[in-house]
Amino acid sequence: MPYTYDDQNIFAKILRGEIPAKPVFESEHTLAFPDISPKKKAHVLVIPKGPYRCYDHFVQAASDAEQLDFFRSVAKVAERVGVAESAGGDGFRLITNSGANSHQEVPHFHVHLLGGEPCGPLVCD
Ligand code: AMP
């Protein structure tokens, strides 16, 4: 079944400037901003600017330029917020949710970058 994209989701509104966010990083195809409800000392969301619902949609439909920009941007964000080892940090965790079983709340592809303190077990029941 083809992916659909609801352009009324919160991150689409942030990209259009209808809801405020304080970017910590921006590139041609990617935007990063703090999660409004941080689960760790560092909790940043990294999103593509294009209309993709989830990771699998992004990988299927985004251009090579968008994908390269996105994944490089995640690493740049980890450096900028100081959690990457290359920036003197103690590491980080990336999480992305896709679809109902994952409890994805916002239907615009995003990666959670978490760090600044130990992240605990990989999953909770
Ligand atoms: P997910 O469950 O993976 O879809 O995560 C969605 C995330 O978006 C949650 O961690 C929310 O706290 C976060 N969130 C929702 N609204 C906003 C907003 N306006 N600005 C920043 N983060 C948000």
Side-chain angles (χ1 to χ4, degrees):
M1 202 161 66
Y3 290 97
T4 56
Y5 179 80
D6 173 10
D7 69 2
Q8 293 308 303
N9 75 75
I10 291 168
F11 297 167
K13 290 180 179 178
I14 286 175
L15 286 166
R16 291 195 295 267
E18 296 166 12
I19 290 178
K22 289 185 179 165
V24 298
F25 177 87
E26 183 166 11
S27 66
E28 183 180 0
H29 297 295
T30 305
L31 183 69
F33 49 89
D35 195 292
I36 202 168
S37 178
K39 300 297 185 288
K40 293 292 168 192
K41 284 181 185 165
H43 187 173
V44 176
L45 300 170
V46 190
I47 69 172
K49 292 180 177 178
Y52 307 107
R53 195 171 82 197
C54 54
Y55 170 79
D56 29 323
H57 186 200
F58 180 67
V59 169
Q60 281 185 23
S63 68
D64 288 355
E66 288 172 291
Q67 296 191 41
L68 187 62
D69 182 273
F70 181 81
F71 288 107
R72 283 188 172 157
S73 293
V74 173
K76 288 177 186 168
V77 172
E79 283 207 327
R80 187 159 296 184
V81 302
V83 296
E85 288 185 27
S86 57
D90 289 324
F92 56 91
R93 177 173 291 164
L94 302 178
I95 296 174
T96 189
N97 293 315
S98 178
N101 274 358
S102 73
H103 297 287
Q104 181 181 5
E105 288 174 13
V106 179
H108 181 110
F109 171 46
H110 53 282
V111 165
H112 297 256
L113 188 152
L114 298 152
E117 59 186 316
C119 288
L122 183 60
V123 291
C124 300
D125 292 329

